[in-house]
Amino acid sequence: MRRSKDKIRRIVLLVICIIAVNDMYSQKKDDLLKDWSDMHNTKTDLFKDYNDLKFGMFIHWGVYSKLGGVWKGEKIIPETRNPKYGASPESWLQGEWIMFCAGIRRQEYRDVARTFNPSLFDAEKWVMLAKEAGMRYIVAMPKHHDGFAMYHSEVNDFNIYDWTPFKRDPIEEIYKACQKYGLRMGIYYSHSIDWMDGGDAGEAQYRNEHPGYIDNYAINHFDPSPVKFTEYIEKKAKPQMREILKKFPNLVEIWYDYPRNMNLEQSFDFYKLAYDIQPNCLVNSRIGNDLGDFLNAGDNEIPTDIDSKYKTWETPGTLNNTWGYKSYDNDWKSLDEMLFWIVEIASKGGNYLLNVGPDGDGVIPPGSVKVLKEIGAWMKVNGEAIYGTSKWITKKEGPTKPEMKSTSARKENGFNSSFTAQDFWFTAKGNNVYVISLADHVGEKITVKSLYECRQKIKSIKVLGNNESLKWEASDNKITVFLPPAANTGMHGFVLKIESDE
Ligand code: GLC
């Protein structure tokens, strides 16, 4: 009898303990989320400035660029994927994943890094190219998943200054060039995955918290570093982030990537350490655990719906099918396609961060340079319809609606849309609405349905690049605009500026 009473007492005590620990945990979680909201809410005024920039350059460049997607004579492609490593086939498209995809041992990768000497690197040339393309910010990359720092780090000597014959700090040079040419700068930092020093990338802790979870995606199982994940975070990732934030003030955004197995406290710490040093810098959603200031869409994805809790968003995209340089990926997207990405994203109120992957010598591939310059020529005339705009009541009208879901989906489907004279995208700025056509030849007049509702407010209609007010009329639930010959001979469409009184 006594024994069973004891047993009951012990069970009751255990239940009380579990409830108390749970309470403590949820109290801690609430406190932490409250602290996060307080910090996040001080950033309200920053979103518009960031969103007005609209178009930026992403740069994936590191030791992997030297390998160019080839390891010991073998190409890293989805067809040669080793399923035992777990990651999705998409990773095998990406040059910067070569250490993981080829299972390169850490010492071997360090040896490759020893010979990294990108003697043709010229930060000013890159920044001037971004400017010529009409880009208004650059997100450079102090550290990707391979753990190699592309700046002079005091925290860890596996960096371009201490480890290689190059002995320069490219991130600092890009930062200075951005200041010189008036572009804003952001940084990418792989906070969670580090194949060189990151232990198990948090796999064990995640499995502890989520029993039954099986997924070894992106984790270095081929030659793991002996350190614990928490040790990596405290001794490398956080100190490097602090170092970067102090070294490069006034950043526009931090691009953490990507929180495979991080818990809430860890993501919170990365948010707070950035806030403590640069409170005016926005943090992306790939910080993990819903602690981003703004949303990053998936790679090469244009979202159909944007979660309303985010005030703004950004799509990262590639010019071919890889981020880091691959010597054999020459599948360059056309100017028509690139304009579609820019315009579609702007019409939905987002930013477009378009990648270049310079090679191991520090040269941006000619295929990228060509299309970037072409984009720049279009932006010179039509950029007014992109920069500083917001979405209008209608985003798009017309029959052609390509969907962009991921890097691999885009690679498989190609880009077949040729836009018709009925396809229009809309953006808005102040009292103006912009109507963007990407059709090559549309005839002497066009009809736009979505403008009919606001016909009484229209003061004038012009084509960007031409000051003449155009003749237009409203009937049958649509507006007909009579175009000047120049709008119609130009390739890659034109933009109408609709000025109104209010
Ligand atoms: C993914 C990849 C990474 C790339 C990034 C760009 O997270 O892991 O290699 O840097 O997407 O958006």
Side-chain angles (χ1 to χ4, degrees):
M1 188 63 172
R2 160 162 299 163
R3 225 188 263 161
S4 74
K5 266 193 181 161
D6 274 358
K7 206 174 168 189
I8 293 173
R9 208 172 290 144
R10 254 183 270 135
I11 292 174
V12 171
L13 255 171
L14 186 70
V15 171
I16 292 174
C17 280
I18 292 173
I19 293 174
V21 169
N22 258 338
D23 271 4
M24 259 165 58
Y25 180 73
S26 63
Q27 182 58 46
K28 193 172 169 210
K29 190 175 161 194
D30 289 350
D31 291 349
L32 195 145
L33 290 178
K34 161 130 196 354
D35 285 355
W36 177 81
S37 295
D38 290 346
M39 291 185 273
H40 171 71
N41 289 337
T42 64
K43 298 187 181 179
T44 312
D45 292 343
L46 304 172
F47 290 105
K48 186 161 177 354
D49 285 351
Y50 165 70
N51 193 222
D52 282 354
L53 301 172
K54 280 288 184 290
F55 187 35
M57 176 183 269
F58 210 0
I59 306 178
H60 278 68
W61 191 51
V63 170
Y64 46 82
S65 314
K66 180 180 160 88
L67 298 175
V70 181
W71 181 244
K72 299 198 169 152
E74 208 174 309
K75 289 182 183 166
I76 305 304
I77 45 178
E79 293 70 25
T80 62
R81 170 182 174 228
N82 185 343
K84 122 175 155 211
Y85 293 157
S88 77
E90 184 149 314
S91 308
W92 267 256
L93 289 175
Q94 301 171 178
E96 74 285 1
W97 273 66
I98 192 164
M99 179 177 179
F100 177 92
C101 295
I104 304 175
R105 298 187 65 80
R106 289 179 305 129
Q107 188 52 50
E108 276 184 295
Y109 198 83
R110 278 192 215 111
D111 293 344
V112 178
R114 280 277 184 225
T115 63
F116 186 50
N117 193 10
S119 53
L120 300 180
F121 167 66
D122 180 342
E124 293 215 357
K125 219 169 162 181
W126 291 8
V127 172
M128 279 180 338
L129 174 65
K131 194 167 177 148
E132 191 180 342
M135 292 160 154
R136 300 237 159 140
Y137 63 109
I138 289 186
V139 176
M141 192 156 297
K143 189 195 83 163
H144 202 266
H145 305 336
D146 63 355
F148 183 73
M150 289 293 286
Y151 70 103
H152 186 192
S153 171
E154 305 277 329
V155 172
N156 186 300
D157 68 351
F158 192 49
N159 72 72
I160 188 159
Y161 190 90
D162 292 318
W163 198 265
T164 77
F166 191 54
K167 292 254 162 292
R168 278 164 59 187
D169 183 331
I171 304 295
E172 186 172 325
E173 291 182 32
I174 295 171
Y175 181 79
K176 286 192 174 144
C178 278
Q179 287 181 318
K180 180 164 167 191
Y181 293 99
L183 274 78
R184 295 296 307 274
M185 167 119 168
I187 57 108
Y188 169 110
Y189 188 87
S190 175
H191 63 324
S192 156
I193 298 167
D194 187 311
W195 297 316
M196 188 57 66
D197 297 312
D200 73 347
E203 187 185 28
Q205 73 172 31
Y206 195 83
R207 285 202 181 160
N208 240 342
E209 290 161 18
H210 303 83
Y213 173 83
I214 310 170
D215 180 3
N216 58 2
Y217 192 93
I219 296 161
N220 179 349
H221 285 298
F222 46 90
D223 178 27
S225 66
V227 303
K228 284 213 161 65
F229 182 56
T230 44
E231 202 180 316
Y232 150 73
I233 288 188
E234 295 308 324
K235 298 209 172 130
K236 183 173 180 186
K238 283 186 187 171
Q240 280 199 331
M241 269 309 291
R242 287 196 195 96
E243 182 177 58
I244 291 164
L245 287 156
K246 285 185 189 144
K247 209 169 148 126
F248 307 116
N250 196 27
L251 296 173
V252 68
E253 67 174 302
I254 295 171
W255 232 91
Y256 285 121
D257 194 37
Y258 66 104
R260 229 17 231 168
N261 298 315
M262 280 194 151
N263 61 34
L264 181 66
E265 284 86 352
Q266 287 160 342
S267 293
F268 176 84
D269 285 355
F270 277 99
Y271 187 94
K272 182 158 172 4
L273 77 80
Y275 188 85
D276 287 345
I277 301 170
Q278 292 199 31
N280 291 334
C281 175
L282 296 177
V283 172
N284 70 337
S285 56
R286 292 197 197 177
I287 187 171
N289 293 292
D290 275 342
L291 297 188
D293 293 316
F294 69 91
L295 173 75
N296 274 126
D299 296 346
N300 285 301
E301 180 205 30
I302 304 181
T304 32
D305 286 312
I306 316 297
D307 187 333
S308 58
K309 75 172 183 232
Y310 288 112
K311 296 199 184 65
T312 189
W313 61 280
E314 178 188 59
T315 282
T318 46
L319 277 164
N320 46 358
N321 301 306
T322 178
W323 304 92
Y325 177 71
K326 265 187 156 184
S327 52
Y328 46 92
D329 184 343
N330 289 309
D331 187 12
W332 302 111
K333 294 173 182 167
S334 65
L335 174 61
D336 280 325
E337 176 170 356
M338 294 326 303
L339 296 180
F340 161 75
W341 284 85
I342 294 170
V343 164
E344 172 88 5
I345 290 169
S347 74
K348 291 180 166 172
N351 283 21
Y352 188 34
L353 184 62
L354 179 58
N355 183 69
V356 294
D359 68 16
D361 292 328
V363 175
I364 298 180
S368 306
V369 174
K370 178 176 173 289
V371 74
L372 287 174
K373 289 189 173 173
E374 290 168 351
I375 294 172
W378 187 91
M379 286 295 243
K380 232 182 212 137
V381 181
N382 300 307
E384 184 185 329
I386 305 293
Y387 307 119
T389 60
S390 338
K391 50 185 180 198
W392 191 52
I393 36 176
T394 304
K395 299 181 189 79
K396 163 91 195 355
E397 73 173 51
T400 324
K401 296 180 179 127
E403 288 193 346
M404 293 302 174
K405 298 204 155 142
S406 67
T407 310
S408 47
R410 157 64 189 82
K411 180 176 184 293
E412 266 150 46
N413 303 337
F415 185 81
N416 300 318
S417 303
S418 54
F419 296 106
T420 70
Q422 288 77 46
D423 286 303
F424 299 109
W425 290 259
F426 303 89
T427 59
K429 181 160 50 184
N431 290 341
N432 303 331
V433 173
Y434 297 93
V435 181
I436 305 169
S437 164
L438 293 178
D440 282 346
H441 297 284
V442 294
E444 283 155 18
K445 54 184 184 181
I446 48 157
T447 54
V448 189
K449 291 186 197 136
S450 307
L451 290 175
Y452 187 74
E453 283 304 313
C454 54
R455 63 195 177 283
Q456 270 142 4
K457 296 181 195 152
I458 297 177
K459 221 169 64 186
S460 75
I461 300 185
K462 292 175 182 165
V463 173
L464 288 187
N466 183 333
N467 215 17
E468 179 191 341
S469 277
L470 304 179
K471 199 170 149 250
W472 62 275
E473 61 194 31
S475 62
D476 296 338
N477 289 320
K478 53 188 187 261
I479 296 273
T480 302
V481 184
F482 298 88
L483 298 173
N488 204 20
T489 51
M491 301 286 277
H492 315 293
F494 57 88
V495 176
L496 294 182
K497 177 177 183 177
I498 319 296
E499 292 174 310
S500 68
D501 289 327
E502 49 179 91

